[in-house]
Amino acid sequence: MIDDFNAQEVRLAKLNATDTASVKGAYYGIVDDHVIVRDGATLEALSRTGTLTKLGRLAVVPNQSGPDTVVLNPNLSQWLYATTDNNWTAEIHLGSATSDKIIATIPSPDGNAFYRPFAWNASGIYMVRQPVGLGGAGPFLEYHFALATFDMKSGHVADVAPSCIAYNVLDDGTMICGQASTANIEIRSPSGKVNVIKVATGAGTDAAFIDLVVSSDNKRLLVARNGSKDPVINYQMAVADLTSSSAKAFGSLDYTPGAWLPDGRVVAAHACAYSGWGGGPCDTRLDGTYLFSANGTSHSLFFKLTHGSVVGYI
């Protein structure tokens, strides 16, 4: 799956880089081997065979867009999204093929944040506490927010304690929590066991990471960290088992992970850190999307994609 952000188009391609289908709209994630696309107020699902199915219509287009802002249950029959007023009170919508209704009204916790759906899987429904007025720039800037659980029957939302800055919630309820500035990822299992993985070392940009992806068997993770020494920055992928204590380098410099294929190969983008942010020597002529071998020792060009494109696997 390729999200061509600039063209507002989602494409399917085989691993030989041959396009097999395309549909206009904004990418909203992957659920049950389907790409979720929003075309205006219409929610659609694109299967891996190229079949496009209309799921239903949103009563209101959310004031946020992109993956995790409309979350669907595992069988694609219902979805949740949030709209907000001027006071950042969130109205939580439950949609289906035939209806769209507000099932909860959640006041802003502090006047500078609101709750929005984040994930819906076999383990439950999750929200995040999203601050407003976000901005900034930098080589490792990503937005991740404090995780909360949501009870659809009562409309009650509860912050996860201790706070979990959410990167992912797996189907069994395992929470992947972290803070890029601390270089650590916490793996919190439903049993209460916590494993801490140090994915980067050092201080400042040396203790930061982006683009965390989890393997299809939910046993490993990949991130992009700084692979150079001060004062320059060159992206370097790093891999770790969810049960290990640290990550090790994967592949060559100047790549960031995008998707992990079931056969172990990794789809990654060649990326040069901006020189104004301290980026080191890097050949922008190589920019594109590549397929890395499962052990990271070799890679080949997959697609020359435009800047801002996103790649996923279905």
Side-chain angles (χ1 to χ4, degrees), residues 85-249:
D85 64 14
N86 292 334
N87 295 316
W88 301 110
T89 294
E91 291 187 329
I92 308 303
H93 291 248
L94 174 66
S96 70
T98 57
S99 67
D100 187 301
K101 59 184 179 181
I102 296 170
I103 61 169
T105 300
I106 306 174
S108 170
D110 57 10
N112 292 297
F114 66 97
Y115 288 98
R116 67 163 176 83
F118 174 73
W120 187 348
N121 60 30
S123 68
I125 301 172
Y126 303 87
M127 291 191 173
V128 288
R129 179 172 169 164
Q130 179 170 329
V132 299
L134 297 172
F140 294 97
L141 178 65
E142 282 187 335
Y143 295 125
H144 295 273
F145 310 117
L147 189 66
T149 57
F150 179 66
D151 185 329
M152 191 162 64
K153 291 183 179 180
S154 68
H156 179 67
V157 62
D159 292 332
V160 169
S163 180
C164 168
I165 303 302
Y167 280 73
N168 204 332
V169 181
L170 306 183
D171 286 346
D172 67 354
T174 296
M175 299 175 185
I176 299 181
C177 316
Q179 185 71 48
S181 60
T182 67
N184 290 335
I185 283 290
E186 285 188 356
I187 310 300
R188 300 186 190 176
S189 73
S191 67
K193 181 179 179 181
V194 177
N195 182 55
V196 178
I197 305 172
K198 180 164 284 295
V199 295
T201 58
T205 53
D206 283 343
F209 60 89
I210 55 172
D211 295 339
L212 186 150
V213 296
V214 179
S215 61
S216 58
D217 61 6
N218 291 336
K219 293 182 178 180
R220 294 172 293 164
L221 60 79
L222 264 171
V223 298
R225 66 188 185 191
N226 188 11
S228 293
K229 297 180 179 179
D230 285 339
V232 300
I233 299 168
N234 288 88
Y235 294 117
Q236 169 71 67
M237 290 187 287
V239 63
D241 293 338
L242 297 191
T243 56
S244 65
S245 60
S246 62
K248 60 182 180 181

Side-chain angles (χ1 to χ4, degrees), residues 52-76:
L52 185 66
T53 302
K54 178 180 175 180
L55 300 176
R57 288 183 60 83
L58 309 180
V60 182
V61 175
N63 53 359
Q64 301 81 43
S65 62
D68 305 330
T69 54
V70 175
V71 300
L72 291 89
N73 66 1
N75 64 18
L76 309 182

Side-chain angles (χ1 to χ4, degrees), residues 15 48 215-217 220 259-266 313-314:
L15 294 180
R48 61 174 56 184
S215 61
S216 58
D217 61 6
R220 294 172 293 164
W260 213 329
L261 307 183
D263 63 9
R265 288 182 295 170
V266 172
Y313 177 81
I314 64 169

Side-chain angles (χ1 to χ4, degrees), residues 271-284:
C272 296
Y274 173 53
S275 60
W277 297 334
C282 181
D283 189 352
T284 58

Side-chain angles (χ1 to χ4, degrees), residues 12-50:
L12 294 185
K14 296 180 180 179
L15 294 180
N16 64 4
T18 302
D19 280 359
T20 59
S22 65
V23 58
K24 290 293 184 182
Y27 170 62
Y28 268 65
I30 296 173
V31 181
D32 189 33
D33 294 333
H34 287 76
V35 183
I36 307 304
V37 180
R38 179 182 62 79
D39 184 8
T42 300
L43 204 61
E44 300 173 316
L46 182 64
S47 74
R48 61 174 56 184
T49 62

